Amino acid sequence: MNSSLHQNWIAFTTIVRKEWIRIVRIWVQTLIPPVITMTLYFLIFGELVGKQIGNIGGFTYIQFIVPGLIMMSVITNAYNNVVSSFFSAKFQKYVEELLVSPTSPYTIVLGYTFGGVVRGITVGIMVTLTSLFFTKLHFHNLTLIILTLFLTSILFSLAGFFNALFAKKFDDVTIIPTFVLTPLTYLGGVFYSVERLPGFWQTISYLNPILYMVNVFRYGFIGVTDVNLVFAIFFLISLSFLLFFVNVKLMERGYGIRN
């Protein structure tokens, strides 16, 4: 391992470790709230409303929505972790220590991204374990579950980094999650099957990227999907590479950092 690669590896692991320590240190804010929120979803939609809806695709309503709710928690927490952490680094000026070090822009992006992945997957596991108190989970394709969980965490961690680069004040950190991410998540097939929608709304739904993540993840659990699995995985990988490339280029130009 040459000197430059070794330095960047140390920088990468240090950023990821810093993010993990941050997550654990304020666990009351980072880990507990999403579990409580999803517990309420399980109770209200799964137990109370779900019993009135009946089965979907041969599964109870709560078994149908659990994968989507897990994915919702992963998306939200991976995104929020990176956007808040990197914006704080900008706001408090300690990102400058990274900029003057030999750390490459791609290492910085990767470090914060995997910090978001750690939180997203940790919360996802906690929500999955919580769901077991409400229903019995099926595992149709465990490999696909893990792959989708990992790819989705990466994608929204990169999206959070992109948001943090453009954010100039704390209000800018919350605009995208509130007005873009939340509506897309709720309309991403978490609570319903797209096949039950009228033709026009089905077409609109297929333009929502979160629909593909939720459906691939759901297929991993119960073997039911509204989308083409190969296309969905290819879409996730392609969009992740695109966002990574854009973030690295913006870091190299110092966008949102040096100006």
Side-chain angles (χ1 to χ4, degrees), residues 3-226:
S3 177
S4 176
L5 187 60
H6 181 65
Q7 288 175 350
N8 280 287
W9 172 251
I10 292 176
F12 168 76
T13 55
T14 301
I15 294 172
V16 175
R17 185 166 63 248
K18 176 187 74 70
E19 289 298 293
W20 172 247
I21 292 172
R22 172 180 173 272
I23 293 167
V24 174
R25 188 178 67 246
I26 55 174
W27 60 273
V28 176
Q29 301 175 42
T30 56
L31 301 178
I32 301 302
V35 173
I36 293 176
T37 301
M38 289 303 124
T39 299
L40 292 174
Y41 277 118
F42 294 147
L43 181 62
I44 296 172
F45 288 96
E47 291 295 318
L48 302 181
V49 177
K51 290 181 179 179
Q52 308 301 319
I53 295 177
N55 292 349
I56 298 180
F59 294 90
T60 63
Y61 185 65
I62 188 170
Q63 288 174 331
F64 180 83
I65 67 171
V66 160
L69 292 174
I70 296 170
M71 185 55 61
M72 181 192 294
S73 66
V74 171
I75 289 171
T76 303
N77 284 274
Y79 188 97
N80 287 341
N81 190 80
V82 180
V83 70
S84 61
S85 181
F86 191 72
F87 179 76
S88 296
K90 285 173 51 180
F91 184 78
Q92 297 174 18
K93 304 295 184 183
Y94 62 81
V95 71
E96 296 172 359
E97 298 175 7
L98 281 174
L99 298 178
V100 299
S101 71
T103 307
S104 66
Y106 74 83
T107 301
I108 297 173
V109 174
L110 281 175
Y112 277 95
T113 297
F114 274 84
V117 169
V118 168
R119 178 172 166 184
I121 291 179
T122 301
V123 170
I125 292 173
M126 293 175 66
V127 172
T128 302
L129 294 176
T130 303
S131 70
L132 294 175
F133 289 97
F134 298 90
T135 187
K136 180 180 178 181
L137 293 181
H138 297 260
F139 295 98
H140 179 73
N141 190 324
L142 187 59
T143 301
L144 197 60
I145 291 174
I146 296 172
L147 178 63
T148 310
L149 187 67
F150 188 65
L151 289 176
T152 303
S153 298
I154 290 177
L155 176 60
F156 281 93
S157 294
L158 288 166
F161 193 95
F162 183 77
N163 186 178
L165 282 171
F166 280 87
K168 296 181 179 179
K169 53 185 184 296
F170 280 103
D171 289 343
D172 296 337
V173 171
T174 60
I175 288 176
I176 299 299
T178 302
F179 295 104
V180 179
L181 202 57
T182 299
L184 286 178
T185 302
Y186 279 96
L187 298 174
V190 173
F191 299 101
Y192 56 85
S193 171
V194 175
E195 293 181 352
R196 296 195 173 192
L197 298 177
F200 173 77
W201 290 109
Q202 282 191 30
T203 303
I204 295 298
S205 295
Y206 284 120
L207 299 176
N208 183 353
I210 293 180
L211 175 73
Y212 297 91
M213 305 165 202
V214 169
N215 271 274
V216 175
F217 198 61
R218 178 177 290 133
Y219 180 85
F221 280 93
I222 62 176
V224 174
T225 180
D226 295 325

